[in-house]
Amino acid sequence: MSVVVPVLNGREMVRECVAACLDQTRPPDELFVVDNGSRDDTATLARAAGATVLSEPVQSSFRARNRGWKSANADIIAFTDVDCVPRANWLADLTEPFADPSVAAVGGAIIQAELKSAAQRWMVERNFLDQEFNACAEFLPFFATANAAYRRSTLESIGGFDEAFVVAGGDTDLTWRVQELAGGRAVYQPDAAVDHFVGTSVTEITGRWHRYSAGTVVLERRWSDWPGFPVPPRFLARTAGLWRLPFSLANRARTRRPLSVPLIDAAVAISTETGRVRGHVDTWRRGVTPLRLASRGAVASRAHPPDEHDSRRAPSTQ
């Protein structure tokens, strides 16, 4: 088991994250912190805490993750983020499902570490970064790389993270390709938990949502021709939090519930649209094209050579 942590200017938490990754009931065989162009002393602190530090100067978390897993020697590659503190049994529990040879990806629980502000409480109420919610996604399960692990052989067969995803969406795309192209199973393991620390301000949410919405546009372009991919929500549905705001505020006031939730919903609706504009620009600049069904058989054969005794499932046809 190798652990990869990409980081950009993470001096405030990198020591705690590294310490928690090393202090496991099943310690990692390798721990890589990939410095993604930090302007502070993140790399020095990570090295002092016991991590092997790699450098990826081109700022892209997915490029940094690729740099990490390609440098690793282990059969299983686990990913977390610098603002996460894995619990003591994290790796032991995350490793367990791989005893089944059909399992190629495992996602663990992401627990909101603090509930000090209205913004942090909104994240819990709206299932923001909830891996169980991700595992029950309409199209296919997917896992945020704040807490996920993959077989190295599968990463090699599909080329790892697609660096066409600039700011977000690459982890979703990876988990989908693991299932649809490589024919592997994606399993949610709730006992493998990390505590996730996020800022207390609303801008923490709107900034994240802007990035996620940009990534969603790239996902829509990449997977639009795939059988079963859902029709993206239209403008009115995406902006419901904004145009419903007067009614939501009135209802909250009547029932004496916090007004912060609908106000943040409205701010998120605006961030969604600005993020989608960025996503369309990223898609055009990087020449993202739809994924073709012909990719499925070729990749699956590389990931799993034919074996008459192989009991692993065929890729889903949705």
Side-chain angles (χ1 to χ4, degrees), residues 3-7 14 18 31-35 42-43 46 51-55:
V3 175
V4 175
V5 184
V7 58
V14 69
V18 168
L31 171 59
F32 296 101
V33 169
V34 186
D35 182 22
T42 292
T52 298
V53 177
L54 305 174
S55 176

Side-chain angles (χ1 to χ4, degrees), residues 164-217:
F165 291 86
V166 181
V167 292
D171 42 9
T172 300
D173 173 77
L174 178 70
T175 317
W176 287 352
R177 284 188 289 122
V178 164
Q179 296 167 85
E180 290 296 276
L181 300 190
R185 290 178 56 218
V187 174
Y188 176 57
Q189 172 62 295
D191 294 333
V194 301
D195 292 310
H196 185 239
F197 290 81
V198 296
T200 59
S201 68
V202 173
T203 55
E204 175 79 17
I205 295 173
T206 55
R208 286 175 180 265
W209 209 272
H210 175 91
R211 297 193 297 274
Y212 295 160
S213 297
T216 296
V217 170

Side-chain angles (χ1 to χ4, degrees), residues 58-275:
V58 178
Q59 289 186 5
S60 162
S61 65
F62 302 117
R63 190 180 180 101
R65 292 182 181 102
N66 279 339
R67 175 79 171 88
W69 76 260
K70 290 178 181 179
S71 300
N73 296 300
D75 298 323
I76 305 298
I77 314 293
F79 297 93
T80 190
D81 291 334
V82 73
D83 55 3
C84 296
V85 177
R87 298 184 180 180
N89 290 329
W90 173 57
L91 283 180
D93 291 328
L94 201 62
T95 307
E96 185 179 354
F98 288 107
D100 180 346
S102 70
V103 174
V106 178
I110 301 173
I111 308 298
Q112 181 79 9
E114 299 175 326
L115 292 174
K116 296 179 179 179
S117 70
Q120 291 172 332
R121 290 190 290 272
W122 180 92
M123 293 179 75
V124 173
E125 184 165 338
R126 291 296 189 245
N127 297 315
F128 198 54
L129 297 178
D130 184 335
Q131 286 279 66
E132 185 174 7
F133 184 79
N134 296 343
C136 299
E138 177 184 0
F139 176 49
L140 286 169
F142 67 92
F143 301 128
T145 36
N147 189 359
Y150 301 87
R151 291 191 189 275
R152 181 189 176 88
S153 58
T154 304
L155 292 175
E156 290 175 340
S157 72
I158 61 177
F161 295 92
D162 188 337
E163 294 171 14
F165 291 86
V166 181
V167 292
D171 42 9
T172 300
D173 173 77
L174 178 70
T175 317
W176 287 352
R177 284 188 289 122
V178 164
Q179 296 167 85
E180 290 296 276
L181 300 190
R185 290 178 56 218
V187 174
Y188 176 57
Q189 172 62 295
D191 294 333
V194 301
D195 292 310
H196 185 239
F197 290 81
V198 296
T200 59
S201 68
V202 173
T203 55
E204 175 79 17
I205 295 173
T206 55
R208 286 175 180 265
W209 209 272
H210 175 91
R211 297 193 297 274
Y212 295 160
S213 297
T216 296
V217 170
V218 185
L219 284 169
E220 290 169 358
R221 174 62 173 164
R222 175 57 49 81
W223 290 86
S224 58
D225 291 347
W226 205 262
F229 188 76
V231 177
R234 296 185 180 276
F235 176 78
L236 282 179
R238 296 196 307 266
T239 58
L242 188 60
W243 56 264
R244 287 179 180 170
L245 181 59
F247 308 101
S248 300
L249 288 174
N251 183 56
R252 286 262 171 172
R254 180 179 59 82
T255 55
R256 298 184 178 181
R257 290 180 293 165
L259 302 181
S260 57
V261 171
L263 288 170
I264 295 174
D265 285 342
V268 163
I270 296 172
S271 295
T272 297
E273 296 312 303
T274 59

